[in-house]
Amino acid sequence: MTFDPGRVRLSLQIEDDRVGTAAVTCERPALARLLHGQPAGQAVALVPLIYSLCGKAQSIAARAALTAARGNALQTYVDVAALDEAAREHAWKIFVDWPRQLGLAPDEAFFVQLMRAPSSERADLARSLVAHRLPAALAGVLGDTDIDRLLRERMAARAAALADWLMGRPQVLGTVVAISPSAGVGVATVATARGMLTHRLTLNGDEVAGYDITAPTDAHFAARGDVASWLEQLRGMTKATAVKQASRLVMAFDPCVPWCCELS
């Protein structure tokens, strides 16, 4: 079964080769309509199929929200599967995806080594991470615009989080919190590589009466979200410069769905 997870669109209006206006839209599946009336267990099983990226975090959040909605207590905890998934996302960005986007040679072998290493070898790999050429090289190819500085800061933060995971240090990643604000309602959050993922599930008996997901992508790429504010900096830039900066802005906020930049 295949689902459309949605997409992010940046729209740049070009006037005399310069950006006049810039906007962002985030299109996401109508989850509430899709799941309404379904048995709760069946609906929860569908969620990670709809949102395959960060699928473990989506599944964990869905199950936690259902547990809370059913009135069962759930203590805050760090889910190892969600933590490992977040670390994998960080490593993939640093050693494979970002290098490719910035014209550098990726190091897929080191990425695989990081992911396959047993816990007993991770401390040594943390030292290798610090000495690796790519984190510094990524920072080095960026310019000095505000957007480039933002991306550089995001890169450094994700490298630091990856190092903490390798060293076994306590961190926020993978933390699961679930509450029931009212009868039949469960709200769960999971700390993912991109930010906080929130599921809100409302039951009618044991059927879904409402289901809302707010992923980091939904917040960052909303019409008046973080990215929209940053896009204001593209006004007046030449088309070529603006497209390059738009790409780096997207890299910084890292949507979990495909994206495109449309010029008009």
Side-chain angles (χ1 to χ4, degrees):
M1 188 178 296
T2 302
F3 296 96
D4 180 1
R7 62 200 49 80
V8 163
R9 297 181 191 274
L10 302 187
S11 301
L12 307 183
Q13 183 183 26
I14 308 299
E15 302 170 0
D16 297 326
D17 197 47
R18 292 190 178 273
V19 175
T21 60
V24 59
T25 57
C26 183
E27 303 166 6
R28 299 291 259 166
L31 190 71
R33 186 169 67 246
L34 178 66
L35 300 182
H36 186 271
Q38 292 201 28
Q42 180 177 321
V44 163
L46 280 174
V47 168
L49 301 180
I50 299 170
Y51 299 95
S52 57
L53 195 61
C54 292
K56 287 187 173 61
Q58 294 283 1
S59 179
I60 291 160
R63 294 198 309 268
L66 178 56
T67 296
R70 285 173 170 168
N72 299 315
L74 186 67
Q75 296 295 320
T76 298
Y77 72 103
V78 174
D79 189 285
V80 174
L83 173 58
D84 289 352
E85 181 179 67
R88 184 187 187 281
E89 287 291 317
H90 286 336
W92 177 258
K93 287 294 169 184
I94 296 165
F95 294 105
V96 182
D97 186 50
W98 282 337
R100 285 175 176 166
Q101 293 192 62
L102 292 173
L104 300 173
D107 192 342
E108 295 183 48
F110 188 64
F111 165 75
V112 172
Q113 186 180 8
L114 287 176
M115 295 300 98
R116 291 182 176 176
S119 299
S120 59
E121 297 177 8
R122 288 179 181 170
D124 289 335
L125 285 172
R127 289 184 281 274
S128 298
L129 168 64
V130 172
H132 200 284
R133 62 179 177 83
L134 273 177
L138 288 169
V141 300
L142 298 175
D144 199 36
T145 68
D146 287 345
I147 290 175
D148 283 344
R149 285 193 289 272
L150 171 68
L151 178 53
R152 190 179 288 113
E153 290 169 1
R154 292 296 178 93
M155 288 175 169
R158 295 184 77 163
L162 178 59
D164 284 344
W165 174 74
L166 289 168
M167 294 297 293
R169 296 175 183 143
Q171 53 185 292
V172 174
L173 288 178
T175 300
V176 181
V177 179
I179 63 171
S180 179
S182 58
V185 178
V187 180
T189 61
V190 179
T192 75
R194 294 171 174 82
M196 299 304 297
L197 168 68
T198 302
H199 283 222
R200 183 184 181 91
L201 169 62
T202 302
L203 294 177
N204 179 12
D206 202 48
E207 292 184 349
V208 173
Y211 207 131
D212 295 301
I213 294 178
T214 303
T217 294
D218 302 316
H220 295 322
F221 292 89
R224 296 188 179 183
D226 298 324
V227 172
S229 297
W230 280 93
L231 282 175
E232 291 296 312
Q233 298 198 16
L234 304 188
R235 289 176 181 264
M237 289 184 182
T238 64
K239 179 173 67 174
T241 300
V243 169
K244 180 178 180 180
Q245 288 293 290
S247 174
R248 292 185 177 182
L249 181 59
V250 171
M251 289 172 65
F253 285 97
D254 190 20
C256 59
V257 294
W259 73 277
C260 63
C261 184
E262 300 175 339
L263 308 179
S264 61

